[in-house]
Amino acid sequence: MEKRNALWGEIQTGLQDAIKNSNADSLKIDIKQIGEVLNAYNNHFQELTQLVYLRGFRDYGLEGKMRDYAHQLERYNSKIKLSEILSLRRHEKDFFLRKDSVYIHLFDSKINALLANINTNQDSTKLLLKNYRSSFHELVQIHKQIGLSGNDGLRHELNTLTTLLDDLFLQLSTSAEKRFTNVSNRIIFLFSILLVIIILVTILWSNFITS
């Protein structure tokens, strides 16, 4: 993240230098438009980073909390058969693996049936089931915000902005080639390399965290 933030700062500097060294208003407009899209891209990426932090991994964050409730149910309760708990966990894992909402409904149906068979409201097993259900649904909402596929959520927004950036930079490069301007080749080259690096790093990291 530190390297990515450093690259982001260099890109911002490169944009300002390119605007100052351009003597064509059309090029300045193109560069400013790229800057606006980059800002939107960066804002979405920051949102994604925060959601991933909240989600956690394995024993940390919301995922760690949910796994802890599930493990307590597996190890310490005497009110529910282990096979029933393992069925719940299968629905949980199927959702996070396949990103299909049908497994949310299967999870809820199963856990509601188990809760209905426990009569005492103060029973520790009932509390564990409710906590497990609550943390599962919190994680579901985070996954939906991130995007269950590349066609929704923040993943879709980032993919769309990446495509737009490609088009805008191609337009800028074409315009610069057709005009004699003070936009140096060195700035254009530096900007293009940094832009490619930051997009690739973001895409690779996004694919990893949502896999």
mmCIF file of all heavy atoms in Angstrom, residues 11 25 36 40 45 58 71 73 75 80 83 93 96 107 112 123 135 147 155 171 174-176 181 193:
data_model
loop_
_atom_site.group_PDB
_atom_site.id
_atom_site.type_symbol
_atom_site.label_atom_id
_atom_site.label_comp_id
_atom_site.label_asym_id
_atom_site.label_seq_id
_atom_site.Cartn_x
_atom_site.Cartn_y
_atom_site.Cartn_z
ATOM 1 N N ILE A 11 1.935 10.222 -9.845
ATOM 2 C CA ILE A 11 1.007 10.420 -10.959
ATOM 3 C C ILE A 11 0.360 11.806 -10.870
ATOM 4 O O ILE A 11 0.214 12.504 -11.870
ATOM 5 C CB ILE A 11 -0.071 9.320 -10.979
ATOM 6 C CG1 ILE A 11 0.547 7.998 -11.454
ATOM 7 C CG2 ILE A 11 -1.231 9.700 -11.878
ATOM 8 C CD1 ILE A 11 -0.403 6.840 -11.453
ATOM 9 N N ASP A 25 -5.130 23.949 -25.494
ATOM 10 C CA ASP A 25 -6.248 23.849 -24.557
ATOM 11 C C ASP A 25 -6.913 22.475 -24.595
ATOM 12 O O ASP A 25 -7.350 21.965 -23.566
ATOM 13 C CB ASP A 25 -7.291 24.930 -24.871
ATOM 14 C CG ASP A 25 -6.796 26.320 -24.512
ATOM 15 O OD1 ASP A 25 -5.858 26.415 -23.698
ATOM 16 O OD2 ASP A 25 -7.336 27.300 -25.054
ATOM 17 N N GLU A 36 -9.615 13.745 -13.182
ATOM 18 C CA GLU A 36 -10.907 13.564 -12.501
ATOM 19 C C GLU A 36 -11.260 12.079 -12.380
ATOM 20 O O GLU A 36 -11.739 11.633 -11.339
ATOM 21 C CB GLU A 36 -11.998 14.313 -13.272
ATOM 22 C CG GLU A 36 -11.871 15.830 -13.185
ATOM 23 C CD GLU A 36 -12.832 16.550 -14.128
ATOM 24 O OE1 GLU A 36 -13.578 15.853 -14.848
ATOM 25 O OE2 GLU A 36 -12.836 17.808 -14.131
ATOM 26 N N ALA A 40 -11.669 9.654 -8.952
ATOM 27 C CA ALA A 40 -12.798 8.754 -8.690
ATOM 28 C C ALA A 40 -12.299 7.338 -8.468
ATOM 29 O O ALA A 40 -12.758 6.622 -7.566
ATOM 30 C CB ALA A 40 -13.789 8.793 -9.856
ATOM 31 N N PHE A 45 -11.099 2.892 -4.705
ATOM 32 C CA PHE A 45 -10.094 1.961 -4.183
ATOM 33 C C PHE A 45 -9.941 2.098 -2.673
ATOM 34 O O PHE A 45 -9.775 1.108 -1.957
ATOM 35 C CB PHE A 45 -8.749 2.188 -4.866
ATOM 36 C CG PHE A 45 -7.719 1.154 -4.476
ATOM 37 C CD1 PHE A 45 -7.735 -0.095 -5.080
ATOM 38 C CD2 PHE A 45 -6.757 1.427 -3.521
ATOM 39 C CE1 PHE A 45 -6.797 -1.062 -4.719
ATOM 40 C CE2 PHE A 45 -5.826 0.469 -3.157
ATOM 41 C CZ PHE A 45 -5.843 -0.766 -3.762
ATOM 42 N N ARG A 58 -9.443 -15.091 7.890
ATOM 43 C CA ARG A 58 -9.231 -16.206 8.821
ATOM 44 C C ARG A 58 -9.595 -15.814 10.252
ATOM 45 O O ARG A 58 -10.752 -15.727 10.588
ATOM 46 C CB ARG A 58 -7.801 -16.730 8.707
ATOM 47 C CG ARG A 58 -7.509 -17.423 7.380
ATOM 48 C CD ARG A 58 -6.179 -18.123 7.386
ATOM 49 N NE ARG A 58 -5.895 -18.742 6.101
ATOM 50 C CZ ARG A 58 -6.347 -19.931 5.716
ATOM 51 N NH1 ARG A 58 -7.091 -20.643 6.544
ATOM 52 N NH2 ARG A 58 -6.058 -20.427 4.533
ATOM 53 N N HIS A 71 -16.863 -22.203 15.414
ATOM 54 C CA HIS A 71 -16.030 -23.180 16.113
ATOM 55 C C HIS A 71 -16.549 -23.462 17.519
ATOM 56 O O HIS A 71 -16.476 -24.610 18.002
ATOM 57 C CB HIS A 71 -14.587 -22.678 16.174
ATOM 58 C CG HIS A 71 -13.902 -22.679 14.844
ATOM 59 N ND1 HIS A 71 -12.782 -21.918 14.567
ATOM 60 C CD2 HIS A 71 -14.188 -23.356 13.701
ATOM 61 C CE1 HIS A 71 -12.410 -22.127 13.315
ATOM 62 N NE2 HIS A 71 -13.243 -22.990 12.772
ATOM 63 N N LEU A 73 -19.674 -23.387 18.349
ATOM 64 C CA LEU A 73 -20.831 -24.263 18.148
ATOM 65 C C LEU A 73 -20.387 -25.704 17.891
ATOM 66 O O LEU A 73 -21.006 -26.656 18.366
ATOM 67 C CB LEU A 73 -21.676 -23.766 16.967
ATOM 68 C CG LEU A 73 -22.549 -22.540 17.238
ATOM 69 C CD1 LEU A 73 -23.065 -21.947 15.932
ATOM 70 C CD2 LEU A 73 -23.724 -22.906 18.149
ATOM 71 N N ARG A 75 -17.617 -27.155 18.938
ATOM 72 C CA ARG A 75 -16.849 -27.783 20.007
ATOM 73 C C ARG A 75 -17.574 -27.884 21.342
ATOM 74 O O ARG A 75 -17.384 -28.841 22.089
ATOM 75 C CB ARG A 75 -15.551 -26.991 20.218
ATOM 76 C CG ARG A 75 -14.614 -27.038 19.033
ATOM 77 C CD ARG A 75 -13.464 -26.070 19.231
ATOM 78 N NE ARG A 75 -12.597 -25.999 18.050
ATOM 79 C CZ ARG A 75 -11.654 -25.092 17.886
ATOM 80 N NH1 ARG A 75 -11.457 -24.160 18.809
ATOM 81 N NH2 ARG A 75 -10.911 -25.091 16.785
ATOM 82 N N ILE A 80 -27.169 -29.236 19.731
ATOM 83 C CA ILE A 80 -27.325 -29.416 18.290
ATOM 84 C C ILE A 80 -26.351 -30.480 17.795
ATOM 85 O O ILE A 80 -25.187 -30.514 18.208
ATOM 86 C CB ILE A 80 -27.040 -28.097 17.537
ATOM 87 C CG1 ILE A 80 -27.928 -26.969 18.066
ATOM 88 C CG2 ILE A 80 -27.279 -28.265 16.035
ATOM 89 C CD1 ILE A 80 -27.580 -25.612 17.491
ATOM 90 N N SER A 83 -23.629 -32.777 12.845
ATOM 91 C CA SER A 83 -23.982 -32.831 11.426
ATOM 92 C C SER A 83 -24.809 -31.611 11.010
ATOM 93 O O SER A 83 -24.688 -31.122 9.875
ATOM 94 C CB SER A 83 -24.765 -34.114 11.117
ATOM 95 O OG SER A 83 -25.960 -34.167 11.884
ATOM 96 N N LYS A 93 -19.820 -21.615 3.565
ATOM 97 C CA LYS A 93 -18.648 -21.691 2.695
ATOM 98 C C LYS A 93 -19.037 -21.685 1.224
ATOM 99 O O LYS A 93 -18.319 -21.120 0.389
ATOM 100 C CB LYS A 93 -17.835 -22.936 3.043
ATOM 101 C CG LYS A 93 -17.169 -22.848 4.413
ATOM 102 C CD LYS A 93 -16.462 -24.134 4.792
ATOM 103 C CE LYS A 93 -15.845 -24.009 6.184
ATOM 104 N NZ LYS A 93 -15.182 -25.280 6.607
ATOM 105 N N PHE A 96 -19.531 -18.016 0.105
ATOM 106 C CA PHE A 96 -18.306 -17.256 -0.090
ATOM 107 C C PHE A 96 -17.468 -17.807 -1.238
ATOM 108 O O PHE A 96 -16.676 -17.072 -1.840
ATOM 109 C CB PHE A 96 -17.496 -17.217 1.207
ATOM 110 C CG PHE A 96 -18.167 -16.427 2.301
ATOM 111 C CD1 PHE A 96 -18.494 -17.016 3.509
ATOM 112 C CD2 PHE A 96 -18.489 -15.101 2.108
ATOM 113 C CE1 PHE A 96 -19.117 -16.292 4.509
ATOM 114 C CE2 PHE A 96 -19.122 -14.363 3.103
ATOM 115 C CZ PHE A 96 -19.436 -14.964 4.303
ATOM 116 N N PHE A 107 -28.786 -21.052 4.269
ATOM 117 C CA PHE A 107 -28.195 -20.816 5.591
ATOM 118 C C PHE A 107 -29.263 -20.335 6.564
ATOM 119 O O PHE A 107 -29.388 -20.856 7.684
ATOM 120 C CB PHE A 107 -27.075 -19.785 5.462
ATOM 121 C CG PHE A 107 -26.411 -19.414 6.770
ATOM 122 C CD1 PHE A 107 -25.271 -20.081 7.202
ATOM 123 C CD2 PHE A 107 -26.915 -18.392 7.563
ATOM 124 C CE1 PHE A 107 -24.652 -19.729 8.388
ATOM 125 C CE2 PHE A 107 -26.312 -18.039 8.754
ATOM 126 C CZ PHE A 107 -25.174 -18.714 9.173
ATOM 127 N N ASN A 112 -32.648 -20.876 11.228
ATOM 128 C CA ASN A 112 -33.944 -20.551 11.831
ATOM 129 C C ASN A 112 -34.626 -21.807 12.369
ATOM 130 O O ASN A 112 -35.276 -21.768 13.424
ATOM 131 C CB ASN A 112 -34.844 -19.852 10.817
ATOM 132 C CG ASN A 112 -34.388 -18.435 10.517
ATOM 133 O OD1 ASN A 112 -33.682 -17.810 11.315
ATOM 134 N ND2 ASN A 112 -34.754 -17.920 9.348
ATOM 135 N N ASP A 123 -30.528 -19.556 26.523
ATOM 136 C CA ASP A 123 -29.603 -20.654 26.254
ATOM 137 C C ASP A 123 -28.375 -20.149 25.492
ATOM 138 O O ASP A 123 -28.493 -19.410 24.516
ATOM 139 C CB ASP A 123 -30.319 -21.737 25.434
ATOM 140 C CG ASP A 123 -29.455 -22.975 25.289
ATOM 141 O OD1 ASP A 123 -28.599 -22.963 24.385
ATOM 142 O OD2 ASP A 123 -29.637 -23.915 26.072
ATOM 143 N N SER A 135 -23.066 -12.240 12.267
ATOM 144 C CA SER A 135 -21.746 -11.988 11.679
ATOM 145 C C SER A 135 -21.689 -12.473 10.234
ATOM 146 O O SER A 135 -21.046 -11.841 9.379
ATOM 147 C CB SER A 135 -20.649 -12.647 12.512
ATOM 148 O OG SER A 135 -20.866 -14.032 12.647
ATOM 149 N N GLY A 147 -18.550 -6.544 -4.352
ATOM 150 C CA GLY A 147 -18.987 -7.067 -5.643
ATOM 151 C C GLY A 147 -18.898 -8.577 -5.662
ATOM 152 O O GLY A 147 -17.816 -9.141 -5.477
ATOM 153 N N ARG A 155 -16.083 -3.575 -7.420
ATOM 154 C CA ARG A 155 -15.292 -4.227 -8.469
ATOM 155 C C ARG A 155 -15.741 -3.750 -9.852
ATOM 156 O O ARG A 155 -14.912 -3.490 -10.729
ATOM 157 C CB ARG A 155 -15.428 -5.747 -8.364
ATOM 158 C CG ARG A 155 -14.764 -6.349 -7.130
ATOM 159 C CD ARG A 155 -15.043 -7.835 -7.039
ATOM 160 N NE ARG A 155 -14.410 -8.567 -8.127
ATOM 161 C CZ ARG A 155 -14.614 -9.869 -8.349
ATOM 162 N NH1 ARG A 155 -15.457 -10.550 -7.579
ATOM 163 N NH2 ARG A 155 -13.996 -10.475 -9.332
ATOM 164 N N GLN A 171 -6.691 8.570 -26.145
ATOM 165 C CA GLN A 171 -7.121 9.825 -26.777
ATOM 166 C C GLN A 171 -6.070 10.912 -26.576
ATOM 167 O O GLN A 171 -5.751 11.663 -27.504
ATOM 168 C CB GLN A 171 -8.452 10.257 -26.172
ATOM 169 C CG GLN A 171 -8.989 11.592 -26.669
ATOM 170 C CD GLN A 171 -10.317 11.941 -26.006
ATOM 171 O OE1 GLN A 171 -11.233 11.135 -25.954
ATOM 172 N NE2 GLN A 171 -10.405 13.168 -25.492
ATOM 173 N N THR A 174 -2.980 10.196 -28.760
ATOM 174 C CA THR A 174 -3.264 10.492 -30.163
ATOM 175 C C THR A 174 -3.242 11.996 -30.417
ATOM 176 O O THR A 174 -2.666 12.469 -31.415
ATOM 177 C CB THR A 174 -4.640 9.921 -30.566
ATOM 178 O OG1 THR A 174 -4.647 8.507 -30.334
ATOM 179 C CG2 THR A 174 -4.928 10.193 -32.022
ATOM 180 N N SER A 175 -3.858 12.756 -29.519
ATOM 181 C CA SER A 175 -3.894 14.218 -29.673
ATOM 182 C C SER A 175 -2.498 14.817 -29.602
ATOM 183 O O SER A 175 -2.164 15.737 -30.354
ATOM 184 C CB SER A 175 -4.783 14.837 -28.588
ATOM 185 O OG SER A 175 -6.110 14.387 -28.708
ATOM 186 N N ALA A 176 -1.677 14.289 -28.685
ATOM 187 C CA ALA A 176 -0.326 14.825 -28.503
ATOM 188 C C ALA A 176 0.535 14.570 -29.737
ATOM 189 O O ALA A 176 1.386 15.388 -30.104
ATOM 190 C CB ALA A 176 0.313 14.208 -27.265
ATOM 191 N N THR A 181 3.399 20.454 -29.316
ATOM 192 C CA THR A 181 3.145 21.067 -28.012
ATOM 193 C C THR A 181 4.381 20.990 -27.149
ATOM 194 O O THR A 181 5.394 20.367 -27.514
ATOM 195 C CB THR A 181 1.996 20.335 -27.278
ATOM 196 O OG1 THR A 181 2.466 19.043 -26.883
ATOM 197 C CG2 THR A 181 0.783 20.160 -28.172
ATOM 198 N N ILE A 193 3.568 4.833 -17.767
ATOM 199 C CA ILE A 193 4.116 3.713 -16.998
ATOM 200 C C ILE A 193 3.511 3.662 -15.601
ATOM 201 O O ILE A 193 3.089 2.599 -15.125
ATOM 202 C CB ILE A 193 5.650 3.824 -16.892
ATOM 203 C CG1 ILE A 193 6.281 3.611 -18.277
ATOM 204 C CG2 ILE A 193 6.190 2.797 -15.902
ATOM 205 C CD1 ILE A 193 6.013 2.248 -18.870
#
